[in-house]
Amino acid sequence: MPDSDSSKRTPPTGDMSAAEFRRFGHEIVDWIANYFERIEDLPVLAQIEPGDLKAQLPAAPPDQGESMEAILADVDRLIVPALTHWSHPSFFAYFATSTSAPGIFGELLSAAFDVKSMLWRTSPASTELEEVVLDWLRQMIGLDPGMSGIIYDTASVSSMHAIAAAREGVEMRIRAEGMSGRKDLPLLRVYASDQSHSSIDKGVITLGLGQRALRKIPSDSEFRMSVNALREAVDEDKRDGILPFCVVATVGTTSTSSIDAVPQIAEVCEQHALWLHVDAAYGGSAAIVPEMRQILDGCHRADSLVLNPHKWLFTPFDLSVLYCRRMDLLGRAFSLVPEYLRTPEQAKVRSGSDYGVQLGRRFRALKLWMIIRYFGHEGLAARIREHCRLAKLFASWIEESTDWEIMAPTPFALVCFRACPGGNAQTDSAAAKGLDALNEAIMHGVNASGKAFLSHTKLNDKLTLRLSIGNIRTTERHVRQVWELLNDQLKALSGSG
Ligand code: PLP
């Protein structure tokens, strides 16, 4: 048919016709709905070898445009088998996260609007919606109104900006004069626990402070920063002529989801006039559950706090929020308005590009606005509450079993555990290695089954399995299934060993 023939050709100029856009748009939405309906039939972890996908793709780009039919067929044939399905309800690795329908619609609209949210006038809707929706989120997690929010792509970037604002606060003209070649500049010090995320190290590296500027403070038996050790480190550094300026506390550490004692850390910061940044990238979302609000105790004394809606607020990647009490310092560190960006209203409005390294910024607030409106505060809290219930249920099975042991407390929806058949006491280093190997084999066995995906960490030098529940589709059935898979693996490996 002439109609379908023309649909196979890319127009010589301009974009796809409205009729075709409508047709493929409907088809893609149907495809996504089917994808979510059949996702449990797909292996969670991509079952391919490195290089498999590249080998199937042409090395050179096409000279002529191709039909959408051909492109979409290749999504099915090539892309889907090479995906690790983060939206699978049995994705329990790292921090399990997921997108949601209103979030997907927000991304779709944002791609259509394609605004570059750099100045108020290039994106009034994005600029003002961002302020409003971040204030909603601030209220939902119970932070005080002294904190203003700004959206970045990731927590890594949010924390880097927080440390940059803290550095601006030391009043050493670093923006103008830099740090290299200066004899008048002492070593500037940042403190974080040995459980803090590697993004803090990277932030320090990116800002040119140097890795030696980051002092890792030991953590206690429950993986929380030792406040006494922090106090001693700050005192010692001051005696040695080092300039302490920033402490990073974590609410929900990456390995175990432990919560640093923010009120006590805040005391140290106040005593020495140090900037307190709280990395609540994972844990912060749980504060929207009214009975869990205490996880942010002490954060009203923080100078900045990062929270990732793309982790546990059902927001498609990416969207990280930095709350900052001193937006003036963030602006002093980054604002730079060349003539071609000067606008008559600039003194009256906020422009996102004044608060970071990026000029153009995506319209990310739209998806978060749609998610909060669609689920409501109570709906979001109910989902997070259920994830925490499922994690505690799984932890109770571990505790009741003599073949498994809990490796860390479960304050959120992450369980750290490992196999220790028959309560194995692990008396010598050979037995310790054997247990590590057994647990690694159990994890690889579960992951290779395609039915669930777990990841690991090391705690007190012991290989530890992590089960993170954060996917909007995960139910008790999925958690029971992974428990069975783990026990099947343990039986098979113990039997064969
Ligand atoms: N902070 C914590 C506590 C994390 O667990 C992670 C990632 O898991 C990050 C920061 C980095 O997050 P992003 O990928 O948004 O940079």
Side-chain angles (χ1 to χ4, degrees):
M1 287 195 312
D3 208 354
S4 83
D5 278 345
S6 75
S7 81
K8 290 198 165 49
R9 283 197 305 273
T10 311
T13 55
D15 199 2
M16 185 184 283
S17 71
E20 277 210 83
F21 182 81
R22 214 168 260 119
R23 183 182 139 211
F24 288 113
H26 286 132
E27 221 171 84
I28 287 173
V29 170
D30 273 347
W31 189 98
I32 296 171
N34 291 338
Y35 170 69
F36 287 138
E37 277 176 352
R38 74 185 173 106
I39 196 161
E40 288 192 50
D41 301 332
L42 300 170
V44 193
L45 180 64
Q47 308 281 303
I48 65 163
E49 293 301 320
D52 279 0
L53 175 62
K54 277 200 281 185
Q56 295 183 74
L57 295 168
D63 285 332
Q64 305 297 318
E66 298 181 60
S67 71
M68 275 309 290
E69 282 96 340
I71 299 167
L72 293 178
D74 280 351
V75 170
D76 271 321
R77 188 173 66 88
L78 301 173
I79 304 299
V80 172
L83 283 172
T84 289
H85 296 281
W86 283 74
S87 290
H88 195 297
S90 295
F91 187 114
F92 298 113
Y94 312 112
F95 278 127
T97 65
S98 69
T99 185
S100 61
I104 294 170
F105 290 147
E107 281 286 5
L108 191 60
L109 288 172
S110 166
F113 299 145
D114 192 32
V115 299
K116 281 74 187 175
S117 183
M118 50 204 207
L119 307 171
W120 178 87
R121 73 165 45 192
T122 63
S123 48
S126 170
T127 306
E128 295 192 11
L129 191 67
E130 180 166 330
E131 285 183 57
V132 170
V133 81
L134 295 192
D135 198 61
W136 286 4
L137 183 59
R138 179 195 63 71
Q139 295 171 46
M140 286 162 63
I141 61 173
L143 267 191
D144 62 278
M147 287 281 208
S148 297
I150 173 110
I151 295 179
Y152 300 108
D153 52 1
T154 58
S156 306
V157 169
S158 293
S159 288
M160 189 273 287
H161 282 89
I163 299 169
R167 184 177 66 176
E168 189 62 25
V170 303
E171 307 294 352
M172 290 206 157
R173 304 175 314 283
I174 290 172
R175 171 179 167 138
E177 295 178 26
M179 300 180 70
S180 64
R182 285 183 63 177
K183 292 205 167 54
D184 62 326
L185 210 58
L187 177 67
L188 303 183
R189 189 78 99 188
V190 181
Y191 305 83
S193 94
D194 56 11
Q195 298 296 309
S196 65
H197 189 262
S198 55
S199 56
I200 306 306
D201 306 57
K202 284 201 183 176
V204 164
I205 294 167
T206 308
L207 291 168
L209 289 157
Q211 274 176 294
R212 70 190 177 120
L214 179 58
R215 185 160 175 177
K216 294 278 176 80
I217 305 297
S219 47
D220 65 15
S221 60
E222 295 196 354
F223 310 101
R224 300 166 301 197
M225 185 194 291
S226 156
V227 182
N228 276 341
L230 171 68
R231 222 177 255 120
E232 283 165 21
V234 173
D235 287 342
E236 183 184 68
D237 281 352
K238 280 187 149 178
R239 279 197 305 275
D240 292 347
I242 290 169
L243 183 64
F245 77 102
C246 179
V247 178
V248 180
T250 311
V251 172
T253 56
T254 311
S255 275
T256 69
S257 77
S258 59
I259 304 173
D260 285 340
V262 176
Q264 286 86 334
I265 294 172
E267 238 172 74
V268 178
C269 290
E270 284 160 9
Q271 188 190 342
H272 295 279
L274 310 181
W275 182 286
L276 173 57
H277 174 59
V278 178
D279 179 354
Y282 166 66
S285 297
I288 71 164
V289 181
E291 66 273 20
M292 292 184 77
R293 267 214 177 159
Q294 80 286 352
I295 58 152
L296 291 186
D297 275 357
C299 290
H300 62 285
R301 293 157 78 182
D303 297 282
S304 55
L305 176 145
V306 58
L307 179 162
N308 272 3
H310 70 223
K311 275 197 168 37
W312 207 6
L313 272 184
F314 317 111
T315 304
F317 196 79
D318 48 19
L319 200 168
S320 175
V321 180
L322 180 70
Y323 284 105
C324 185
R325 204 172 291 289
R326 295 291 310 271
M327 292 301 276
D328 58 321
L329 286 178
L330 201 51
R332 255 177 48 187
F334 291 105
S335 178
L336 204 164
V337 185
E339 180 56 28
Y340 47 82
L341 295 177
R342 192 169 57 78
T343 65
E345 68 275 4
Q346 66 189 29
K348 295 191 295 221
V349 294
R350 185 166 126 161
S351 290
S353 56
D354 281 339
Y355 300 101
V357 290
Q358 269 188 281
L359 176 62
R361 304 165 66 249
R362 301 181 62 225
F363 189 177
R364 296 188 181 89
L366 185 63
K367 57 186 171 184
L368 187 55
W369 179 64
M370 291 172 72
I371 287 165
I372 295 175
R373 289 191 62 182
Y374 179 76
F375 293 111
H377 183 169
E378 284 181 15
L380 290 167
R383 285 160 177 81
I384 290 178
R385 186 183 289 119
E386 174 64 2
H387 290 165
C388 295
R389 183 189 76 80
L390 292 177
K392 289 196 168 57
L393 181 66
F394 182 85
S396 74
W397 300 334
I398 300 275
E399 272 158 1
E400 284 158 16
S401 162
T402 51
D403 289 336
W404 300 88
E405 64 178 333
I406 286 285
M407 302 296 285
T410 304
F412 297 103
L414 169 72
V415 187
C416 292
F417 65 103
R418 70 173 191 160
C420 56
N424 190 325
Q426 189 191 309
T427 45
D428 55 30
S429 74
K433 273 197 187 135
L435 265 192
D436 280 0
L438 172 70
N439 278 282
E440 195 154 3
I442 290 172
M443 176 177 74
H444 290 316
V446 169
N447 294 347
S449 76
K451 291 185 181 145
F453 181 27
L454 300 172
S455 62
H456 76 284
T457 187
K458 271 213 164 163
L459 298 179
N460 299 321
D461 224 25
K462 295 175 184 171
L463 193 125
T464 300
L465 305 182
R466 295 169 72 264
L467 181 106
S468 164
I469 300 172
N471 190 293
I472 200 161
R473 280 167 231 287
T474 303
T475 65
E476 193 169 321
R477 173 170 66 81
H478 304 104
V479 180
R480 287 190 184 280
Q481 186 194 37
V482 71
W483 178 231
E484 277 169 28
L485 283 168
L486 283 160
N487 280 292
D488 290 349
Q489 283 296 321
L490 174 61
K491 248 186 244 144
L493 289 159
S494 305
S496 66

